[in-house]
């Protein structure tokens, strides 16, 4: 019997992986890898690290299929890599049917393969719906006049004097920014906007 590895993933800083970690620990995993990024693709540092460690007879455990990923074709490809190329087993805690530790007969394998394809498709559909709802929410908020991003930095009281000296070649942009206590980039953005007026 090989090692038991756990994998958890959250999409944003506002989410919490505790629920996944508890489930993985309850299963008895020896080491947990956590990524804090989208499941859109598998270009994730901790996932890649775990994949490099996986050997034949190891077990890859994840709470639910959507924590593994949300791209239908890539989930199926990674499943093949883990089970066929690496020779490891996969356990999806929320879907016991997708536990590859047990050698199944032809019908059992067929049912598991169909379940994997259906669940992978649902994971991608859910991801697409989330993105669509976010885009619709942002569009609706913009239509109501909601502004996104940070509030613009107010120009200091001595800005016009410094801007004039910069425009007349007396000050460099870096020196002007330093006098105003802002970044070089911020000063150039202001100057570019005001230069057009």
């Amino acid at each position: 019997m090989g090692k038991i590895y756990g994998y958890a993933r959250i999409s944003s800083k506002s989410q919490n992986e505790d629920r996944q970690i508890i489930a993985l620990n309850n299963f008895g995993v020896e080491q947990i890898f956590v990524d804090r990024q989208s499941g859109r693709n598998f270009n994730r540092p901790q996932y890649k690290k775990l994949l490099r460690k996986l050997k034949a007879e190891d077990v890859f455990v994840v709470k639910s299929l959507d924590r593994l990923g949300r791209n239908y074709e890539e989930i199926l490809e990674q499943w093949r890599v883990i089970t066929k190329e690496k020779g490891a087993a996969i356990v999806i805690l929320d879907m016991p049917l997708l536990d590859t530790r047990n050698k199944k007969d032809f019908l059992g394998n067929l049912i598991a393969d169909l379940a994997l394809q259906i669940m992978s498709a649902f994971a991608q559909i859910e991801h697409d719906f989330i993105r669509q709802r976010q885009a619709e929410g942002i569009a609706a908020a913009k239509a109501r006049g909601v502004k996104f991003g940070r509030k613009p930095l107010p120009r200091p009281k001595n800005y016009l004097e410094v801007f004039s000296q910069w425009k007349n070649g007396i000050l460099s942009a870096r020196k002007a920014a330093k006098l105003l206590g802002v970044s070089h980039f911020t000063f150039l953005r202001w100057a570019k906007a005001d230069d057009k007026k």
Side-chain angles (χ1 to χ4, degrees), residues 1 4-6 20-30 59-62 90-93 99 101:
M1 180 70 175
I4 303 175
Y5 295 108
Q20 295 175 64
I21 301 295
I22 290 167
L24 293 170
N25 281 328
N26 287 343
F27 185 84
V29 300
E30 297 168 48
V59 181
F60 179 107
V61 185
V62 67
I90 299 179
V91 175
I92 308 292
L93 296 177
D99 183 343
R101 290 175 303 168

Side-chain angles (χ1 to χ4, degrees), residues 162-163 165-166 171-182 187:
V162 172
F163 169 71
Q165 290 178 10
W166 168 80
L171 291 175
S172 69
R174 289 199 185 280
K175 183 75 174 168
K178 194 170 184 179
L179 285 169
L180 295 170
V182 296
F187 174 73

Side-chain angles (χ1 to χ4, degrees), residues 15-37:
Q15 290 181 322
N16 189 310
E17 70 272 15
D18 289 353
R19 189 175 55 88
Q20 295 175 64
I21 301 295
I22 290 167
L24 293 170
N25 281 328
N26 287 343
F27 185 84
V29 300
E30 297 168 48
Q31 188 176 358
I32 298 174
F33 296 79
V34 181
D35 276 312
R36 290 169 179 84
Q37 64 188 87

Side-chain angles (χ1 to χ4, degrees), residues 6 11 19 32 38 40 50 55 71 82 95 97 105 111-113 121 130 154-155 171 182 184 191 193:
S11 300
R19 189 175 55 88
I32 298 174
S38 167
R40 183 177 64 246
L50 171 51
K55 295 179 177 56
N71 179 304
I82 294 167
M95 192 78 181
L97 185 62
D105 59 14
I111 292 169
D113 287 348
I130 289 169
R155 288 169 170 74
L171 291 175
V182 296
H184 181 232

Side-chain angles (χ1 to χ4, degrees), residues 65-66 69-70 72 75 115-129:
L65 193 61
D66 67 340
R70 288 191 176 273
Y72 173 75
I75 290 173
L116 172 62
Q117 291 188 32
I118 291 167
M119 296 306 293
S120 300
F122 278 126
Q124 178 162 343
I125 289 167
E126 184 182 7
H127 178 257
D128 293 345
F129 279 150

